[in-house]
Amino acid sequence: MTLGLEPAALPADAVEVGRIADAWGIKGWFKVLPYSASPEALFSSKRWFLQPSEKGAKTFSGTVLLKIKEAKDHSDAVVAHAQDIDDRNDAELLKGARIFVSRSSFPTTETDEYYWVDLIGLDVVNREGAALGHVKELLHTGPQTVLVLAYLEDGKS
């Protein structure tokens, strides 16, 4: 396997949380573009599961496990360093990889706080109790977050 990354099964509760943008520095660090403005899931997990980019060159196939030594905020991104990624050339081979983290490793939420992923699939009803559908996805548009629903037709979704 390229870079000595070990093949792994994607956990059943895996959530895609970002992608690797590029190498960062010369000692094997890489820059991550998180999908969340608060990337705590990246910091709380030391086991990231990578899958190759859907587009472009692929330097590995399937799902691989990346054991994280350190991850930290840097400007508008996250930078990380992993076991067995020792120099810039190794880090460049990860460019474009999609990062998944097990939902069970996310930090615990406070009362009345939820992760977006926890809302997907929930039923939506109006104030009168009429079923409208279920949450298909959420979109951040800047000033607000939009729930995208799969609407019910004749009582079926």
Side-chain angles (χ1 to χ4, degrees):
M1 170 81 25
T2 305
L3 302 171
L5 299 173
E6 62 184 82
L10 194 63
D13 67 343
V15 177
E16 188 171 356
V17 294
R19 69 177 176 83
I20 297 177
D22 209 349
W24 187 76
I26 60 170
K27 296 184 178 180
W29 285 73
F30 47 91
K31 183 176 180 179
V32 174
L33 298 177
Y35 294 155
S36 171
S38 302
E40 288 86 9
L42 287 166
F43 302 134
S44 68
S45 179
K46 297 298 180 191
R47 295 169 45 93
W48 294 1
F49 297 87
L50 302 184
Q51 289 186 343
S53 170
E54 293 172 335
K55 299 178 182 176
K58 296 175 180 32
T59 56
F60 65 93
S61 61
T63 302
V64 296
L65 175 62
L66 190 64
K67 296 177 183 173
I68 302 301
K69 291 181 182 178
E70 185 177 357
K72 58 187 179 181
D73 275 315
H74 180 73
S75 277
D76 61 343
V78 169
V79 292
H81 190 232
Q83 182 177 314
D84 299 325
I85 308 297
D86 298 320
D87 61 33
R88 183 174 184 86
N89 293 334
D90 288 347
E92 286 175 343
L93 293 174
L94 299 175
K95 185 175 180 175
R98 300 164 54 212
I99 303 168
F100 295 81
V101 172
S102 174
R103 170 62 183 90
S104 62
S105 70
F106 282 27
T108 305
T109 57
E110 298 293 325
T111 302
D112 293 330
E113 283 186 337
Y114 303 92
Y115 288 105
W116 283 13
V117 68
D118 297 334
L119 301 177
I120 295 172
L122 292 180
D123 292 329
V124 179
V125 296
N126 66 14
R127 290 185 178 145
E128 288 76 36
L132 301 176
H134 61 270
V135 179
K136 182 178 175 184
E137 64 181 306
L138 290 94
L139 300 173
H140 182 69
T141 63
Q144 68 231 356
T145 300
V146 177
L147 290 172
V148 178
L149 303 182
Y151 289 101
L152 295 173
E153 294 180 28
D154 299 328
K156 299 177 184 177
S157 62

